[in-house]
Amino acid sequence: MEVLRTPDARFEGLPDWPYEPRYSEVRDADGARLRLHYADEGPRDGAPVLLMHGEPSWAYLYRHIIRGLAEKGHRAIAPDLIGFGRSDKPARRTDYTYERHVTWMSDWFRAMDLKDVTLFCQDWGGLIGLRLVAAFPERFAGVVVANTGLPIGSGMTEGFKSWLELSQTIPVMPIGGLINMGSARALTDAEVAAYDAPFPDDTYKEGARQFPTLVPVTPEHASVEENRAAWKALEAFRKPFLTAFSDGDPITQGGEALFQARVPGAKDQPHTMLHGGHFLQEDSPGPIVEILDAMIRRRA
């Protein structure tokens, strides 16, 4: 496996991102070693909150949420998926599979030895993060899902269909521009540049290109059976499980209903609808902090 690493200089001076980079190493089955980056802020003995990003963003998406959680005394942990952010980037599209990412993040999660975790997950952060919940339910104290799903080959929204087509046909993938398009507010030029920072050129974007094709929206996709098994685990999950989708995302619109109907822990939770586009972390960071803080305090 050929692996690319974004130069550190690309991440200097990013707005609202003062966080020290931290790294772990995960190994692929073929023996490749991959460096995985994560932010880890707040008191070490604070309640851990795992913030999982999706496609094609990175932990920068959570910059305001990290600060808000740390100020409330919680420990905010935001990893970069392999292929994104400051994490290493396999150079071939075929190196990116759903199950590889679940394995990589599972290995990192076990090495972190986190307990009583509150998960916030959006987009691919949910497709991978909910697999962690299914595999390690004893390590999670609560879950907040936002603009995400756990597909089992039963189709796609028109919004996702349009995104899939765009992602595979656009000549140059403008990462920062895509985040801006998927947010209700207009990002500044500096913020757009921060989302572009992990990708010096298109050779670094193979993961961003491949991820939309990996979503198991048809029965023929890989990972359908693995996600079915994960749903069975979620259907036994009785700890607090809250939906906080946004009011302006055509890709995941209506997806909260499935979680509310199938996960026992979702019963009687204060489910909410937040303002924002697909990347609601850009539009409603303050309310997200309040939702997570309230969930933690309710179980204190």
Side-chain angles (χ1 to χ4, degrees):
M1 179 187 293
E2 180 187 356
V3 177
L4 305 177
R5 180 169 294 174
T6 305
D8 288 342
R10 299 272 303 179
F11 300 97
E12 293 177 359
L14 301 184
D16 300 312
W17 187 260
Y19 309 122
E20 175 188 353
R22 302 174 190 271
Y23 298 101
S24 291
E25 186 178 87
V26 295
R27 288 194 181 191
D28 189 62
D30 70 359
R33 296 170 180 243
L34 298 160
R35 191 177 75 169
L36 189 149
H37 164 262
Y38 61 101
D40 190 345
E41 299 293 326
R44 300 301 88 182
D45 60 351
V49 182
L50 177 59
L51 304 167
M52 295 284 292
H53 77 85
E55 144 85 0
S57 61
W58 62 287
Y60 185 76
L61 185 66
Y62 287 104
R63 62 197 180 281
H64 301 304
I65 296 165
I66 291 170
R67 184 185 68 246
L69 290 171
E71 289 174 349
K72 289 183 178 292
H74 308 311
R75 181 183 176 189
I77 305 161
D80 285 337
L81 297 176
I82 296 295
F84 300 85
R86 296 185 83 138
S87 290
D88 282 349
K89 300 166 183 67
R92 291 187 298 272
R93 288 187 65 167
T94 53
D95 290 331
Y96 293 88
T97 72
Y98 193 163
E99 295 311 308
R100 259 181 165 163
H101 272 83
V102 171
T103 298
W104 291 330
M105 293 310 301
S106 295
D107 290 348
W108 171 80
F109 186 69
R110 276 192 296 263
M112 292 289 289
D113 194 27
L114 300 172
K115 300 179 178 68
D116 294 323
V117 177
T118 301
L119 171 68
F120 183 93
C121 56
Q122 176 260 347
D123 191 85
W124 266 96
L127 274 74
I128 296 169
L130 292 173
R131 290 283 298 275
L132 297 182
V133 176
F136 311 104
E138 73 284 355
R139 290 185 176 269
F140 288 89
V143 176
V144 179
V145 291
N147 293 358
T148 190
L150 194 62
I152 52 172
S154 53
M156 68 187 98
T157 63
E158 286 300 315
F160 180 76
K161 185 177 180 180
S162 296
W163 160 238
L164 177 61
E165 181 177 356
L166 174 67
S167 70
Q168 302 309 297
T169 58
I170 192 168
V172 177
M173 182 172 270
I175 303 296
L178 291 170
I179 306 296
N180 193 27
M181 288 169 55
S183 304
R185 74 174 185 89
L187 274 60
T188 66
D189 290 346
E191 289 170 328
V192 171
Y195 283 112
D196 287 330
F199 310 101
D201 58 53
D202 271 19
T203 64
Y204 290 75
K205 299 178 185 178
E206 292 304 280
R209 284 283 191 185
Q210 186 71 347
F211 257 47
T213 72
L214 300 178
V215 180
V217 292
T218 72
E220 294 73 32
H221 269 80
S223 299
V224 167
E225 290 308 312
E226 290 86 348
N227 277 7
R228 288 185 186 276
W231 267 112
K232 290 182 180 179
L234 292 177
E235 287 169 344
F237 191 82
R238 299 189 176 279
K239 299 170 190 176
F241 193 105
L242 189 149
T243 63
F245 281 52
S246 74
D247 57 8
D249 180 24
I251 295 174
T252 63
Q253 185 177 27
E256 69 277 6
L258 194 60
F259 291 113
Q260 293 176 17
R262 295 182 65 175
V263 182
K267 185 178 180 181
D268 299 324
Q269 290 298 311
H271 303 294
T272 188
M273 186 71 68
L274 296 177
H275 169 67
H278 182 65
F279 300 102
L280 74 171
Q281 298 95 322
E282 285 292 349
D283 300 310
S284 294
I288 290 171
V289 170
E290 295 302 322
I291 288 167
L292 290 164
D293 179 60
M295 175 177 276
I296 292 166
R297 297 190 185 284
R298 280 195 297 272
R299 65 173 184 263

